[in-house]
Amino acid sequence: FIERFSRFVNSKWNDTPGARPDEDASYFMVKHVLEGGMPWSEVFLGKFKVETQNPDQRPGNDNPVVVKPDPEGLGFFRSPRWLIRYAGNEPDGMLIVKGNRIMMATIGLELVASTNAPDADVSATGRQAGVCRGCHYDNWYALDKVAAILGKRVGENDRATFEPYEGGPQTILGGVQASNDADLVAALVGNEAYNVQACRLAFQYLYGRNENKCEGPLFDKCVETFKKEKSIQSALRSVAADTSFCE
C-alpha cells in the first residue's frame, strides 16, 4: 500500500516523471511519512528535505535519494531538485510555478494556463492583462501575490539558486498575513480546503474519481475522521470500510 499510494500521489502532483529521481521529491516524502505513521501534514510542513545521500553527485545505485532531517525543511517544498524543477521561467525570477504547485498539493487547486503561445507576454505587465489577470492578481489565490513572498530564482536550469524574500508581511489568500513559503503552507494546511483535499485524494485512490453528490454523507464522515486522526490512512479507511464501498 505504501509504495502504491506514494506513486499515486506523486502522479497527481507532477504532470510527468522527473528527469531524475530526486525531482520526484513528493514520492519520497509521502513514503517517508506513511512508513513513519506521521500526520499527513508532515508531507508539507515536516522538518525534512529530499536529496541524494551525497548532494554533490547525481543519484544512482551508490548514491540513493533519501529523506533527511532539516531544521529549515518544509516538507518536500524546499528540496533542492524540486525547487529547480518548479522554478519557472518568469523573467524577473518570481516563483509563480512554485506557488501554484504548493497550492495544488495542499488544497487541490487546479489552474490551466490561458495561453501557451510561444510569443505570449509572461512579464508582470502581460499577466495584468485580459484573461491572465484573474488568476494572477484578482482571485483569492492570486498567483503573483503568493509568489511575491516566495523569494526569487537567480540563474537558469541547474545553475539556478534561490534568494529569500526579505520584505514585510503581505496579505495573501484573501486575508492571510505571510512573509515566506512556511507561512503560506501553514495557512493552507490550516484551511478547511486542506481537509477536503485529503478526502478527495482518498476517493481518487479508491474509486479512481472524485466523490459524487450522493456520497456527500460519506465524504463528510471522511473529512471529520481525517480532522480528528490527522493521517491519510484514516481518510482512506473511513471510505474503504463503509458498506457502500465497491458495491
Side-chain angles (χ1 to χ4, degrees), residues 1-2 4-6 8-9 13 29-44 105-106 193-206 219 222-223 225-240:
F1 159 74
I2 289 176
R4 290 184 64 180
F5 191 76
S6 300
F8 164 77
V9 173
W13 294 346
M29 190 63 68
V30 170
K31 189 174 181 180
H32 181 73
V33 166
L34 293 177
E35 288 176 341
M38 303 175 197
W40 185 238
S41 58
E42 289 294 281
V43 171
F44 314 111
T106 52
Y194 162 77
N195 304 310
V196 170
Q197 175 58 13
C199 286
R200 189 150 289 148
L201 272 179
F203 264 83
Q204 290 169 345
Y205 179 75
L206 293 168
F219 193 83
C222 175
V223 171
T225 300
F226 176 72
K227 289 168 69 173
K228 179 180 179 180
E229 299 188 26
K230 311 298 184 184
S231 71
I232 196 67
Q233 293 96 319
S234 67
L236 289 158
R237 189 182 307 113
S238 70
V239 177

Side-chain angles (χ1 to χ4, degrees), residues 132 146 214 222 227:
C132 299
V146 168
C214 63
C222 175
K227 289 168 69 173

Side-chain angles (χ1 to χ4, degrees), residues 50-100:
V50 176
E51 65 179 7
T52 55
Q53 199 166 65
N54 183 346
D56 297 326
Q57 297 179 9
R58 291 183 63 85
N61 292 336
D62 59 344
N63 191 31
V65 178
V66 294
V67 178
K68 299 179 179 178
D70 180 6
E72 299 299 321
L74 186 66
F76 65 90
F77 294 134
R78 290 180 181 173
S79 299
R81 292 302 306 187
W82 187 87
L83 285 171
I84 289 174
R85 181 177 187 178
Y86 292 117
N89 64 346
E90 202 280 334
D92 293 326
M94 290 183 68
L95 300 175
I96 294 173
V97 177
K98 175 184 175 180
N100 183 34

Side-chain angles (χ1 to χ4, degrees), residues 32-182:
H32 181 73
V33 166
L34 293 177
E35 288 176 341
M38 303 175 197
W40 185 238
S41 58
E42 289 294 281
V43 171
F44 314 111
L45 292 170
K47 300 296 185 183
F48 308 109
K49 67 178 175 181
V50 176
E51 65 179 7
T52 55
Q53 199 166 65
N54 183 346
D56 297 326
Q57 297 179 9
R58 291 183 63 85
N61 292 336
D62 59 344
N63 191 31
V65 178
V66 294
V67 178
K68 299 179 179 178
D70 180 6
E72 299 299 321
L74 186 66
F76 65 90
F77 294 134
R78 290 180 181 173
S79 299
R81 292 302 306 187
W82 187 87
L83 285 171
I84 289 174
R85 181 177 187 178
Y86 292 117
N89 64 346
E90 202 280 334
D92 293 326
M94 290 183 68
L95 300 175
I96 294 173
V97 177
K98 175 184 175 180
N100 183 34
R101 289 284 164 173
I102 288 175
M103 290 189 284
M104 182 181 70
T106 52
I107 62 171
L109 181 68
E110 294 186 11
L111 301 175
V112 179
S114 60
T115 177
N116 61 357
D119 59 347
D121 183 0
V122 297
S123 70
T125 301
R127 297 192 301 274
Q128 291 179 26
V131 293
C132 299
R133 183 177 181 84
C135 287
H136 285 275
Y137 290 96
D138 294 340
N139 278 296
W140 64 267
Y141 53 79
L143 294 173
D144 273 67
K145 294 179 181 179
V146 168
I149 63 165
L150 300 181
K152 287 194 174 184
R153 180 199 76 246
V154 178
E156 302 289 340
N157 303 319
D158 284 357
R159 293 191 178 93
T161 58
F162 301 92
E163 295 180 348
Y165 170 69
E166 295 181 348
Q170 300 292 316
T171 303
I172 61 171
L173 304 180
V176 173
Q177 293 290 299
S179 299
N180 52 44
D181 53 355

